[in-house]
Amino acid sequence: MIKKLFTSESVTEGHPDKVCDKIADAILDDILSKDKYARVACEVCATTGLVMVMGEISSSCSCDFTSVVRETVRDIGYNDSALGFDGNTCAVIVAIDKQSDDIAMGVDSAAEADSGDIADRIGAGDQGMMFGYATNETEQLMPLPIVLAHALTRRLTEVRKQGVLKYLRPDGKAQVTVEYTDGKPTAIDTVVVSAQHDDGIDAATIFDDIKREVVFKALPGELLSPDTKIYINPTGRFVKGGPQGDSGLTGRKIIVDTYGGYCAHGGGALSGKDPTKVDRSALYMARYVAKNLVAAKIADKCEIEVAYAIGRAKPVSLSVNTYGTGIIADDKIVEVINKVFDMRPYSIIENLGLRKPIYKNTSNYGHFGRKEFPWEKTDKINQILKAVKELN
């Protein structure tokens, strides 16, 4: 037997970086709700008493940035100066310009625009490579460590907002180490939870409460054992948190957003970007492709890499790695993908419905493995199986 450990982490919506991601996506949704063709590249940073919104936005509508910022921060739970950060009183600075004409030119008129195919008219909004992944080790077709880490942080938020543990504050983190035996997850080796709390709460009380109300309720009992190591607020104190404890910035939690480090990552951030940015839309598409392939039982696990050049519609490369689990060769799976899926930005946007204001809810607890998002559909299984049959 070959044993190994793998760890993934998640953070709550009150984590300073996630505060910024959520604000950026709330602004994107507000604009797309009024102008679905808007170009948005919005960045947010936050520190004690201050939120700054910056970036490039071209749109036919206006956005009340200050109101969106305040509403989002209050909804997260920072609604009192006693918490060190307050959506009612924090300063909001806005520094927004329009999208660069040089970038807009590549998106508005792709190099292949003369082909006559409408999908060739929109070019990629940037160069870059994006990775999608799926594995059959969980119901969500996601790696188990990141699924469990998100379950912990989601539960942390639930017990805070529902008043089960009234002393909890919005900031928090969780980390789960899973033991794999011969490539299959078999046990939870270590759990780490750090939860912001009111001053004056005894560390032992916090440990017992979170162990009972969060760890044991969020994690599957069959994977826990007396040997599982559980660490809760390892320093013994976590009162100062959120943007007061650590400055926040969009795009600093991209591994939390995707697969928990379980597979390759192109490096592009997601939040605050409209779907003409392939950093976002092609990343969603790569997950959609990988998930459908695994759901069709073409492979037990599948990693997709797709790359683009700014101003061109067709990807410059597409590759597949099934880690030896595919029922056909990886290069043949590429042929299947090219038959079943259209990886051009226009087609991605239209087929997945990405011009809708659906992004605010993506900013916490992962962009993948959640049924409410269109890139999580497994509606291409029959087409994939037909394409595989036609290869033989």
Side-chain angles (χ1 to χ4, degrees):
M1 292 190 298
I2 298 174
K3 292 191 176 185
K4 74 169 189 176
L5 301 177
F6 192 89
T7 303
S8 293
E9 76 156 350
S10 178
V11 298
T12 66
E13 60 193 60
H15 184 281
D17 295 331
K18 277 295 155 199
V19 170
C20 295
D21 283 344
K22 193 162 190 175
I23 291 170
D25 277 335
I27 289 170
L28 173 63
D29 277 359
D30 182 78
I31 293 171
L32 289 179
S33 69
K34 295 173 281 191
D35 176 11
K36 66 179 182 178
Y37 295 105
R39 303 286 170 77
V40 180
C42 178
E43 304 283 352
V44 178
C45 61
T47 188
T48 305
L50 173 65
V51 174
M52 182 174 182
V53 179
M54 52 196 163
E56 298 78 42
I57 298 176
S58 295
S59 175
S60 62
C61 72
S62 61
C63 174
D64 187 344
F65 294 100
T66 299
S67 293
V68 173
V69 169
R70 295 194 186 285
E71 180 182 353
T72 304
V73 173
R74 287 194 298 262
D75 180 63
I76 290 169
Y78 291 115
N79 52 16
D80 190 322
S81 59
L83 299 174
F85 195 71
D86 184 1
N88 297 301
T89 60
C90 65
V92 179
I93 299 174
V94 179
I96 295 291
D97 202 350
K98 70 173 186 176
Q99 184 181 56
S100 162
D101 292 337
D102 297 341
I103 295 175
M105 177 174 60
V107 177
D108 293 337
S109 181
E112 307 97 319
D114 293 336
S115 72
D117 187 336
I118 190 172
D120 279 337
R121 296 180 189 174
I122 293 182
D126 202 352
Q127 69 178 48
M129 64 283 190
M130 300 84 208
F131 290 86
Y133 185 78
T135 172
N136 63 7
E137 68 183 56
T138 63
E139 178 186 351
Q140 300 90 335
L141 301 187
M142 287 284 288
L144 182 62
I146 190 65
V147 169
L148 298 181
H150 285 322
L152 285 171
T153 53
R154 191 179 294 110
R155 179 62 183 165
L156 263 182
T157 298
E158 286 175 0
V159 297
R160 171 176 62 88
K161 289 190 169 182
Q162 293 172 5
V164 176
L165 301 179
K166 297 180 183 298
Y167 55 77
L168 288 183
R169 293 182 175 184
D171 199 355
K173 287 184 175 184
Q175 184 173 286
V176 179
T177 301
V178 173
E179 180 183 273
Y180 285 78
T181 303
D182 293 336
K184 302 294 184 182
T186 51
I188 296 173
D189 182 83
T190 307
V191 176
V192 183
V193 178
S194 295
Q196 187 189 16
H197 58 87
D198 291 344
D199 200 1
I201 308 299
D202 180 69
T205 297
I206 296 172
F207 182 92
D208 291 341
D209 286 349
I210 290 179
K211 185 176 179 181
R212 181 186 67 254
E213 295 294 341
V214 177
V215 175
F216 287 167
K217 291 191 177 179
L219 301 182
E222 65 271 17
L223 294 178
L224 294 168
S225 76
D227 295 327
T228 301
K229 298 177 284 294
I230 299 176
Y231 303 108
I232 296 171
N233 285 6
T235 67
R237 177 181 169 88
F238 185 7
V239 174
K240 182 182 288 188
Q244 182 191 36
D246 188 12
S247 59
L249 183 66
T250 44
R252 281 204 299 209
K253 286 290 175 283
I254 55 177
I255 299 302
V256 172
D257 287 339
T258 53
Y259 306 100
Y262 202 85
C263 64
H265 196 293
L270 292 93
S271 290
K273 295 179 179 178
D274 77 81
T276 66
K277 312 294 189 295
V278 285
D279 275 346
R280 185 165 216 165
S281 55
L283 193 73
Y284 292 160
M285 187 65 180
R287 162 65 177 172
Y288 177 57
V289 173
K291 185 175 183 182
N292 274 271
L293 287 166
V294 172
K297 296 182 169 44
I298 303 304
D300 292 339
K301 52 185 174 181
C302 181
E303 181 181 274
I304 308 289
E305 187 214 30
V306 61
Y308 294 84
I310 188 170
R312 301 198 68 90
K314 294 182 176 66
V316 299
S317 71
L318 175 66
S319 67
V320 171
N321 183 3
T322 62
Y323 302 88
T325 69
I327 64 171
I328 58 175
D330 289 352
D331 61 332
K332 294 297 182 182
I333 295 177
V334 172
E335 293 182 33
V336 170
I337 293 171
N338 287 329
K339 283 186 178 182
V340 176
F341 301 93
D342 190 337
M343 305 295 285
R344 292 173 293 179
Y346 174 89
S347 298
I348 294 172
I349 292 168
E350 293 301 314
N351 292 336
L352 295 182
L354 299 183
R355 295 197 187 277
K356 300 174 183 176
I358 58 175
Y359 298 103
K360 184 177 178 181
N361 287 339
T362 68
S363 59
N364 300 113
Y365 317 116
H367 292 243
F368 305 130
R370 298 162 60 189
K371 292 180 180 179
E372 66 262 38
F373 301 135
W375 47 90
E376 291 297 314
K377 296 181 297 185
T378 52
D379 57 348
K380 297 292 185 181
I381 293 174
N382 290 337
Q383 293 179 53
I384 289 170
L385 294 175
K386 180 182 177 182
V388 169
K389 186 176 181 180
E390 290 172 352
L391 288 176
N392 300 323

